[in-house]
């Protein structure tokens, strides 16, 4: 996730599963640990920022980490959504999770919403897209899913569209799917 000044990387697998959030300062290209981490170690999660021009709750903006895999031997995929407050770099749970537990998903955003798409939920890939409303942090299923189930994909956004590309359906793919925000 990112602001105009910093990028934040959260979670991963070192091993073991990590909770760490690292901050990249865009002006100096140095990394540091702001000291507030995810509440539980997760890997294969997706993340989305509240949008470059969108602000909620006064002057704050947020980043959201969604889904992932918690630990070997644990239940596996989770629906958890965690929030980082860019104004003070604290993390918390906004209280609304994804509609489906999954890992290896990807995320895109418009100015008003973040979208978590695809992923793996046993026994296989999913096409589910969940939307988080940046104004009130509710999570819902907008009724538009990916055209095919896909996991381990990547995603980018423009002002009008999100693009989900690559991944595994059930073999590696070069397909790019466009998601219309409007």
């Amino acid at each position: 996730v990112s602001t105009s000044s910093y990028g934040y990387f959260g979670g991963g697998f070192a091993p073991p599963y990590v909770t760490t959030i690292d901050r990249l300062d865009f002006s100096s290209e140095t990394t540091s640990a702001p000291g507030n981490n995810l509440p539980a170690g997760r890997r294969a999660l997706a993340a989305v920022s509240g949008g470059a021009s969108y602000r909620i709750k006064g002057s704050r903006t947020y980043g959201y980490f969604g889904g992932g895999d918690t630990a070997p031997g644990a239940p596996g995929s989770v629906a958890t959504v965690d929030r980082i407050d860019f104004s003070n770099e604290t993390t918390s749970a906004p209280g609304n999770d994804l509609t489906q537990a999954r890992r290896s998903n990807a995320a895109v955003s418009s100015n008003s919403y973040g979208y978590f798409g695809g992923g793996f939920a046993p026994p296989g890939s999913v096409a589910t897209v969940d939307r988080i409303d940046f104004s009130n942090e509710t999570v819902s299923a907008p009724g538009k899913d990916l055209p095919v189930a896909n996991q381990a994909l990547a995603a980018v956004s423009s002002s009008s569209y999100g693009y989900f590309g690559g991944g595994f359906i059930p073999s590696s793919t070069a397909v790019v799917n466009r998601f219309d925000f409007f």
Side-chain angles (χ1 to χ4, degrees):
V1 294
S2 64
T3 68
S4 59
S5 301
Y6 300 103
Y8 298 86
F9 301 91
F13 184 70
Y17 289 61
V18 296
T19 62
T20 307
I21 292 178
D22 291 315
R23 178 182 60 208
L24 172 67
D25 185 325
F26 293 140
S27 65
S28 64
E29 297 184 337
T30 58
T31 57
S32 61
N36 295 304
N37 296 320
L38 297 172
R42 294 201 326 256
R43 69 170 179 170
L45 59 163
V48 65
S49 300
S53 64
Y54 197 80
R55 303 245 184 251
I56 61 174
K57 298 183 182 173
S59 63
R60 300 179 197 167
T61 56
Y62 300 97
Y64 300 89
F65 297 91
D69 187 1
T70 56
S77 301
V78 296
T80 305
V81 173
D82 290 311
R83 174 182 65 203
I84 183 169
D85 183 330
F86 295 137
S87 68
N88 58 20
E89 297 179 329
T90 59
T91 57
S92 61
N96 297 301
D97 290 335
L98 301 177
T99 62
Q100 178 182 35
R102 59 182 180 246
R103 64 180 181 259
S104 301
N105 55 326
V108 296
S109 67
S110 68
N111 281 339
S112 300
Y113 302 101
Y115 300 87
F116 293 88
F120 177 83
S125 298
V126 297
T128 306
V129 173
D130 287 334
R131 178 180 67 200
I132 185 166
D133 185 328
F134 295 138
S135 68
N136 59 22
E137 297 182 326
T138 59
V139 175
S140 62
K144 299 187 218 176
D145 289 335
L146 298 177
V148 295
N150 195 350
Q151 64 176 294
L153 59 167
V156 295
S157 305
S158 74
S159 59
S160 300
Y161 302 103
Y163 298 86
F164 293 90
F168 189 77
I169 315 175
S171 60
S172 297
T173 181
V175 172
V176 175
N177 292 296
R178 183 178 71 194
F179 186 84
D180 190 336
F181 293 139
F182 304 103

